[in-house]
Amino acid sequence: MSAIQATRGTRDILPEEIPYWQHIEAIAREILGRAAYQEIRTPIFEQTDLFARGMGEATDVVSKEMYSFQDRGERSLTLRPENTAGVVRAFVEHNLQAQGGIQRLWYLGAMFRYERPQAGRQRQFHQLGLESLGSADPRADAEVIAIANDWLQAIGLKNLRLEFNSIGDRTDRQHYREALIAYLTPHKADLDADSQDRLTRNPLRILDSKDQNTQKILQAAPSILSYLSPESQKRFEQVQQLLSDLGISYRLNDRLVRGLDYYTHTVFEIQSDDLGAQATVCAGGRYDGLIAELGGAETPAVGWASGIERLVLLLQKMQKPPVKALDFYLVSRGDRAEAQALKLAQTLRQTGFSVELDLSGSAFGKQFKRADRSGAAACLILGDAEADSQTVQIKWLASGQQASLAQAELLANPDALRQQVQTAQTEA
Ligand code: ATP
Ligand code: MG
């Protein structure tokens, strides 16, 4: 029988890749915690309608990319393609706005989109994102961007670029939409097929087209910035000023619109040149219209989402995995020694040390080879002679120094032992 493989567009994250993920996640927890963000975990599937209303029927995600299915109760459900809609649903359902003030929430989890798989683009992928719910203050926009910036920098990423734009409020966009349709309609026949299709359904999305001919036509297209009301324009300038005050550099990009319907004012993307076509590692903006759209009270909000796979790809190009050092590798041979070794391993672990116990029962020579490869600070050796005398041999792997000591002595002063282990690990 042939073996079953992972489904197209999904992949296993094997242990050797995990240190990158843990590094990215640990720094996120640290930085988000410092900014008073709280984690939220919402279901992986929701009613299809939530995404249809939250993202808009005309978006690519809703029209082409959703994993929707009927469950046994004939409900139409969808694996979440993104998590803003889910967070907002939870916010409304649990009346979190009643708690007053701003809700600062973050999440991490798998998202699902039916797309053509390629490097940095999968059908199951992971996003870490945040939502700042309840403030229309331009400082809220600058704050979420600053947090993304700090996080990506602290991870160790370089050469990132912040692209920044405003798409104004609903009225501004309506005017711009009409102007764009008016400009593009005479060129309709020369647009790529997708863009022709979007011309009436979602014309702003045409600005995202990768088609060269379409891009050429777009060069002379009107700019959203000419359609901002004086208030929207002022708000746009305020956020820019705040970013400058924070020392965050950005590039204005009036072609940046994002594919989602509920965005207002601020839109931004953080991009890298080292990822080929899948350049965006973090994308977000303000979505003042969404919460009312999903049945809540009119609530201003701003947030972003970042694709973790793309961050891992960047990190893998730059650095070796941040390895977690092992304290001890424990080898044993002989009936009495093997029984005692398990006990010694457990006692050491309960005292706070990391211990890999060799379970192979093979000759000492083979076990020593594995000890060398394990990256442990020291190898602990138990034969029946040691077991009978309640002793243990300790061999520091970097220096080769070896000693015999009573097991009780090994555990008598954990602080001193920790110190020795750390010294050995810095030598290695
Ligand atoms: P793209 O233009 O790359 O399709 P998008 O506009 O669909 O991106 P968003 O919905 O804004 O992306 O999602 C935010 C981030 O999530 C993206 O910038 C990207 O880093 C990541 N992301 C989105 N779709 C995928 C995917 N299919 N595989 C891996 N990461 C993804
Ligand atoms: Mg997409």
Side-chain angles (χ1 to χ4, degrees):
M1 257 198 311
S2 62
I4 295 173
Q5 297 189 325
T7 309
R8 182 167 153 79
T10 70
R11 58 187 288 275
D12 302 303
I13 302 160
L14 296 176
E16 59 176 19
E17 193 181 313
I18 291 291
Y20 293 105
W21 289 73
Q22 290 181 340
H23 172 70
I24 291 167
E25 291 167 18
I27 291 176
R29 278 173 215 282
E30 176 73 36
I31 284 182
L32 291 162
R34 280 191 232 150
Y37 272 78
Q38 293 180 296
E39 185 178 357
I40 183 167
R41 301 185 188 187
T42 61
I44 281 182
F45 58 81
E46 300 266 3
Q47 291 178 38
T48 299
D49 198 38
L50 174 70
F51 303 112
R53 269 161 68 184
M55 304 181 80
E57 304 273 4
T59 56
D60 282 358
V61 174
V62 173
S63 62
K64 293 193 255 185
E65 297 174 358
M66 293 216 295
Y67 274 93
S68 300
F69 60 97
Q70 285 226 320
D71 76 357
R72 289 170 191 273
E74 294 186 2
R75 299 168 191 88
S76 174
L77 303 178
T78 294
L79 300 183
R80 61 184 185 195
E82 56 96 49
N83 208 29
T84 299
V87 170
V88 168
R89 182 204 41 72
F91 174 83
V92 173
E93 183 169 334
H94 302 286
N95 218 3
L96 296 183
Q97 75 267 44
Q99 297 182 6
I102 298 172
Q103 287 283 318
R104 289 184 172 88
L105 302 170
W106 73 273
Y107 60 82
L108 166 66
M111 308 294 155
F112 305 85
R113 296 183 192 180
Y114 192 82
E115 304 200 63
R116 194 168 68 77
Q118 51 200 294
R121 190 176 296 286
Q122 296 165 210
R123 292 181 173 173
Q124 173 174 336
F125 61 100
H126 296 78
Q127 283 183 341
L128 188 146
L130 64 74
E131 317 294 351
S132 169
L133 304 151
S135 175
D137 192 314
R139 285 179 301 170
D141 307 46
E143 183 179 58
V144 300
I145 293 173
I147 291 168
N149 200 56
D150 280 354
W151 172 51
L152 296 170
Q153 262 183 25
I155 290 171
L157 297 179
K158 306 235 154 47
N159 305 325
L160 296 179
R161 189 175 57 247
L162 171 62
E163 304 255 318
F164 184 69
N165 192 24
S166 170
I167 51 171
D169 61 17
R170 283 230 167 106
T171 317
D172 303 339
R173 278 178 80 180
Q174 193 49 40
H175 292 153
Y176 178 58
R177 197 187 140 98
E178 285 159 18
L180 195 60
I181 294 175
Y183 170 80
L184 288 173
T185 302
H187 298 284
K188 182 166 180 185
D190 299 322
L191 296 175
D192 61 280
D194 269 349
S195 296
Q196 291 186 7
D197 195 44
R198 286 173 180 148
L199 190 53
T200 47
R201 293 194 309 132
N202 193 5
L204 266 61
R205 231 354 250 238
I206 296 176
L207 299 178
D208 274 349
S209 168
K210 301 261 178 328
D211 183 79
Q212 285 202 346
N213 211 34
T214 300
Q215 277 303 331
K216 223 161 109 199
I217 295 167
L218 283 168
Q219 276 172 15
S223 163
I224 178 76
L225 298 181
S226 319
Y227 292 83
L228 297 185
S229 68
E231 297 80 58
S232 298
Q233 177 64 30
K234 181 165 165 238
R235 198 178 188 292
F236 185 38
E237 283 162 15
Q238 282 172 325
V239 180
Q240 289 177 53
Q241 185 61 52
L242 293 166
L243 291 175
S244 301
D245 292 348
L246 288 167
I248 297 173
S249 46
Y250 56 88
R251 200 179 76 96
L252 290 183
N253 177 354
D254 67 355
R255 300 298 150 124
L256 190 66
V257 289
R258 315 284 307 127
L260 311 185
D261 270 357
Y262 50 69
Y263 280 89
T264 49
H265 300 292
T266 298
V267 279
F268 69 93
E269 286 193 0
I270 301 176
Q271 301 175 350
S272 164
D273 285 331
D274 304 327
L275 280 172
Q278 273 57 252
T280 304
V281 296
C282 180
R286 179 161 280 284
Y287 50 94
D288 291 346
L290 179 65
I291 296 158
E293 175 70 35
L294 293 177
E298 204 61 64
T299 309
V302 58
W304 51 254
S306 174
I308 307 293
E309 278 81 0
R310 294 184 192 176
L311 300 182
V312 170
L313 283 172
L314 285 175
L315 275 185
Q316 283 175 324
K317 285 185 195 183
M318 290 175 56
Q319 46 180 263
K320 293 232 176 316
V323 277
K324 186 108 183 55
L326 181 68
D327 298 333
F328 298 112
Y329 191 92
L330 208 169
V331 307
S332 59
R333 192 158 161 83
D335 291 342
R336 297 189 301 288
E338 284 168 13
Q340 230 174 65
L342 174 62
K343 239 168 124 183
L344 181 60
Q346 279 307 101
T347 310
L348 280 164
R349 290 165 182 163
Q350 288 155 3
T351 317
F353 294 96
S354 58
V355 183
E356 183 172 344
L357 174 63
D358 193 309
L359 290 174
S360 67
S362 50
F364 270 125
K366 281 195 174 157
Q367 295 194 47
F368 289 148
K369 282 214 178 92
R370 278 194 291 271
D372 282 332
R373 281 199 304 264
S374 73
C379 177
L380 296 172
I381 305 150
L382 268 179
D384 279 340
E386 283 81 12
D388 291 340
S389 58
Q390 299 277 316
T391 58
V392 61
Q393 305 261 349
I394 184 165
K395 182 177 180 192
W396 297 96
L397 291 170
S399 66
Q401 262 179 14
Q402 191 163 343
S404 172
L405 68 168
Q407 289 175 29
E409 196 187 327
L410 179 72
L411 293 156
N413 190 344
D415 289 341
L417 185 59
R418 160 73 44 219
Q419 198 60 51
Q420 276 183 293
V421 165
Q422 274 169 1
T423 311
Q425 278 162 346
T426 41
E427 275 171 29

